[in-house]
Amino acid sequence: MIGGGVIGLIVIGLLVFLGIRAFGGDDEPTTQPTTTEQPTGQPTGQPTGEPTGNPTTSTSGGPGQNGELGNATGQAKTATDKLQGLGFGCSDLFNTGQGAHRGCFKTDGRKGAEAIFQFQSDGTIIAVRLQAEDDDNFNNAQVAFDQLLQALGNDTFGADQVKKVQDAVKTGQRSDEVGTTWGEFQLSNQGQSVRLSGHKSGEDSLDLPDQSFDTTQAQLVTALKAKGYVCTTSCKKDVGKYGYQRVFFYASSGKGIKDIEISASGEAGDAKKALPAALGDAFGALKGGNVEAVKAYVEAHNDGKPYSAYVGGWKVEISGNSSASYTSQQVSIEYESFYA
């Protein structure tokens, strides 16, 4: 039998052993080994942006006077940028993966200029129509035409071929064919108007999509008569002392309207009120054919200045003239035709 003294020594020894374990720690480590911190950025050998090898397209100058202006590269973008730099407003009749039809316009009363051109998806220009006119100064018409020709032609036809056209214009007022390495041109020089059209050799111009309003001539006449218009070859309503508001239109029998002109004239105060009224009557009767887009464009450009643009598949022109006693304003909405 073990004595009490021995038991006491054993208990004291056990307590000392446990105390050493508590303060000295385990033999096994209580934390994991420290690892090297991983980098938080991308490896320096990888690109941080989009690949640069893919071709890019850019919109040339934004919307042309609220008409839609789509993408263009190459010759088409260069020509557009140069024409916009000369004060032209540019817009597209259409712009698809197969190609585009673009117009750049500048009008000012009795003078104006336009560059119409078609191009493929890579920007190659394949057909053109250039025209400048000035009813008051024949020389100014030629100067304006030469600006158009150089802006579009130097990079498209080549400067030496542009000179061939310039030389033909200098020969005087006549119609002529001008052959170049780019293609064959038809030149018409009437003095107050100079016009050039042609297409690239081996290429055909693009077909234009058909465009018309759903409203027929008979339906429009009925609607305008109900508004108090007298309709013969056009529909007309008297305004003020000697003014009038008029709606003139064209359509094949039983077909939708393809051309319409809304106008007002008379004393300035009368005409200013009459044109919005005539526009409201016409737009209220027209259906289909992107009429809402055309209406919005016309309403956004009612400051009395001239405008031309492709809008909703139409060529829209706003023009007019005024004096102290007389004002005339017109809005023309036409189906575009193009021969080159």
Side-chain angles (χ1 to χ4, degrees), residues 206-273:
L206 304 174
D207 293 333
L208 302 188
D210 192 25
Q211 182 77 342
S212 65
F213 294 107
D214 295 342
T215 307
T216 65
Q217 180 172 320
Q219 290 170 335
L220 184 56
V221 167
T222 299
L224 292 176
K225 281 184 175 180
K227 296 284 187 178
Y229 289 78
V230 176
C231 297
T232 53
T233 55
S234 64
C235 292
K236 187 176 176 181
K237 181 191 288 188
D238 291 337
V239 174
K241 293 180 180 179
Y242 54 84
Y244 62 86
Q245 59 193 57
R246 189 185 76 150
V247 182
F248 176 81
F249 41 88
Y250 166 77
S252 299
S253 178
K255 303 292 185 180
I257 291 170
K258 299 185 77 68
D259 294 288
I260 183 168
E261 181 184 271
I262 303 102
S263 62
S265 64
E267 293 182 336
D270 293 333
K272 188 174 181 180
K273 296 177 182 178

Side-chain angles (χ1 to χ4, degrees), residues 22 62 88 95 128 226 237 279 310:
F88 285 76
N95 192 323
V128 301
K237 181 191 288 188
L279 288 168
Y310 291 132

Side-chain angles (χ1 to χ4, degrees), residues 180-226:
T180 70
T181 57
W182 183 81
E184 193 81 12
F185 291 105
Q186 184 66 42
L187 173 67
S188 175
N189 182 2
Q190 304 299 324
Q192 80 277 11
S193 175
V194 185
R195 176 175 175 146
L196 182 79
S197 60
H199 63 270
K200 186 177 182 180
S201 297
E203 301 287 351
D204 293 324
S205 58
L206 304 174
D207 293 333
L208 302 188
D210 192 25
Q211 182 77 342
S212 65
F213 294 107
D214 295 342
T215 307
T216 65
Q217 180 172 320
Q219 290 170 335
L220 184 56
V221 167
T222 299
L224 292 176
K225 281 184 175 180

Side-chain angles (χ1 to χ4, degrees), residues 7-23:
I7 294 173
L9 290 173
I10 293 172
V11 170
I12 292 171
L14 180 61
L15 290 174
V16 171
F17 173 76
L18 292 174
I20 293 171
R21 291 277 295 180
F23 289 100

